[in-house]
Amino acid sequence: MSITKNILLDGISARVIETSRLRVNILERTADAPSTPPLRTVVFVHGNVSSALFWQETMLSLPADVRSIAVDLRGFGGSEALPVDATRGLSDFSDDVYATLQEIGVPSAHLVGWSMGGGVVMQYALDYPVLSLTLQAPVSPYGFGGTRLDGSRLTDDDAGCGGGGGNPDFIDRLRAGDTSADAPTSPRNVFRASYVAPGHIAEHEDIWVAAMNSTSTQPGNYPGNSVTSTSWPGFGAGDTGVLNTMAPGNFNVSRLIDLVEKPPILWVRGTADAIVSDASLFDLNHLGAIGAIPGWPGADVAPAQQMVSQTRAVLDAYAAAGGEVDEVVWEGVGHSPHLERPEDFRAALLRVMRHPRG
């Protein structure tokens, strides 16, 4: 997707960075100084089926002495749509972010990751220096779907996880750049039903829908391939594409607990999150349990993933091992706290950055 003025808010600019890995589009505030030190630099990483465009309001709201950068992950926004090697978990994405920051002279920064982007920045912290982590509605440290509370996998082929779980009509509408509200599977209605809490009115909804429609559906990008499984619901995770990066056999960042240098972590979430939850409407095992998908074999075989409880367990262990964790929960907020509670989100972010206005 080309970055055009009608989807950039005043004060935000876009440019493409040539890295050793791929071409990466970034957004920046036009007034920010490249000489800003790492302690005052924050890098935003978006989630699945979105782009850096979602961060614009937050970037513009930060104090003038903060440098704000938002990165388009591969296959999203204006970045190159190279295939994603899902067997590396989210490492293709985190390595891309690192290569981008190296190219623009940012040795370290405060990282903010939303949803899948939360997993990206957790992976980044395992491999590269980081000053703090802000995890907004993050994917569980054990991936998405197919695990028990302790992170152990339900099946060896991660049945019900990965690329096979993508809704075909939604994918077709992404491919067509659908901006209508004609069907529950249109990007606009998915945003209204899942990205924010019911009733939330988004001033820039057209921009957010454009960001969703920037998702590449080429082979190797969204959603990814799948394999046949003998376990319910009949498919398992493949080895390429976005959704497979978060299959539990490919992704596990619970090793954060063992980091010697533990960056402070802010965990922000809402109680009305439909995507990342202990009863996620995107978890096929939960959908089976409530009768939305037939043939569910029962909780002994296919329990719903306790995503929030898993994250809390890992972050509690991180704190017990000497790390600093601040959990912030907002009642009635959905999957996008930075859109739904922007002032509170900004204040929490500045606190973890140790900014005087935090």
Side-chain angles (χ1 to χ4, degrees):
M1 179 184 72
S2 61
I3 303 299
T4 56
K5 290 183 179 179
N6 65 323
I7 57 175
L8 292 179
L9 300 181
D10 289 344
I12 299 292
S13 62
R15 60 176 170 137
V16 173
I17 307 300
E18 295 280 352
T19 79
S20 58
R21 294 176 57 79
L22 77 168
R23 295 186 300 277
V24 176
N25 184 74
I26 66 171
L27 303 186
E28 299 170 287
R29 288 196 302 188
T30 55
D32 288 351
S35 60
T36 303
L39 284 172
R40 290 287 183 267
T41 300
V42 58
V43 177
F44 296 94
V45 181
H46 63 82
N48 189 17
V49 191
S50 62
S51 80
L53 293 172
F54 270 96
W55 293 115
Q56 293 180 88
E57 292 176 312
T58 304
M59 295 168 69
L60 291 170
S61 74
L62 293 173
D65 64 343
V66 172
R67 183 184 184 190
S68 298
I69 303 165
V71 179
D72 278 337
L73 300 176
R74 68 168 63 194
F76 297 95
S79 288
E80 194 172 359
L82 294 185
V84 181
D85 180 358
T87 66
R88 304 187 67 231
L90 291 167
S91 289
D92 267 0
F93 293 131
S94 61
D95 288 349
D96 293 345
V97 173
Y98 177 75
T100 304
L101 297 184
Q102 290 296 106
E103 194 66 34
I104 64 174
V106 177
S108 186
H110 301 277
L111 296 190
V112 181
W114 172 31
S115 194
M116 181 182 78
V120 174
V121 302
M122 284 188 275
Q123 181 63 57
Y124 189 105
L126 289 175
D127 299 327
Y128 307 112
V130 61
L131 298 177
S132 72
L133 293 178
T134 294
L135 309 176
Q136 176 181 253
V139 63
S140 163
Y142 299 111
F144 199 97
T147 54
R148 301 174 184 85
L149 179 59
D150 64 0
S152 58
R153 296 161 66 195
L154 299 179
T155 65
D156 290 340
D157 58 2
D158 294 331
C161 301
N167 183 292
D169 191 60
F170 176 60
I171 295 165
D172 286 344
R173 289 174 181 273
L174 287 177
R175 189 174 292 119
D178 180 14
T179 60
S180 75
D182 294 342
T185 51
S186 73
R188 189 177 299 276
N189 281 333
V190 169
F191 171 82
R192 293 174 178 175
S194 304
Y195 283 43
V196 291
H200 176 78
I201 304 299
E203 177 186 358
H204 299 295
E205 183 178 87
D206 287 347
I207 299 178
W208 312 152
V209 172
M212 296 172 70
N213 278 329
S214 76
T215 302
S216 172
T217 56
Q218 296 178 23
N221 295 121
Y222 184 83
N225 62 348
S226 65
V227 299
T228 301
S229 175
T230 57
S231 301
W232 185 89
F235 70 86
D239 59 4
T240 187
V242 175
L243 293 185
N244 293 313
T245 64
M246 294 174 282
N250 295 328
F251 178 76
N252 183 336
V253 291
S254 62
R255 294 180 293 115
L256 281 171
I257 298 166
D258 301 323
L259 283 176
V260 176
E261 298 292 333
K262 291 181 169 61
I265 293 178
L266 168 66
W267 177 24
V268 179
R269 63 183 184 87
T271 62
D273 192 335
I275 298 176
V276 174
S277 164
D278 282 2
S280 169
L281 295 178
F282 287 69
D283 177 7
L284 269 63
N285 286 352
H286 174 66
L287 293 176
I290 63 175
I293 301 177
W296 182 61
D300 290 343
V301 176
Q305 183 188 13
Q306 298 177 64
M307 303 178 187
V308 171
S309 296
Q310 287 178 334
T311 298
R312 179 173 293 110
V314 170
L315 294 185
D316 282 351
Y318 186 89
E324 175 188 332
V325 177
D326 181 17
E327 179 183 358
V328 176
V329 185
W330 291 317
E331 191 69 29
V333 170
H335 192 58
S336 308
H338 73 294
L339 299 182
E340 299 172 68
R341 295 279 290 269
E343 294 181 2
D344 293 331
F345 181 80
R346 179 185 66 243
L349 173 58
L350 292 175
R351 284 198 304 272
V352 78
M353 290 177 64
R354 309 291 197 261
H355 192 278
R357 289 178 56 183

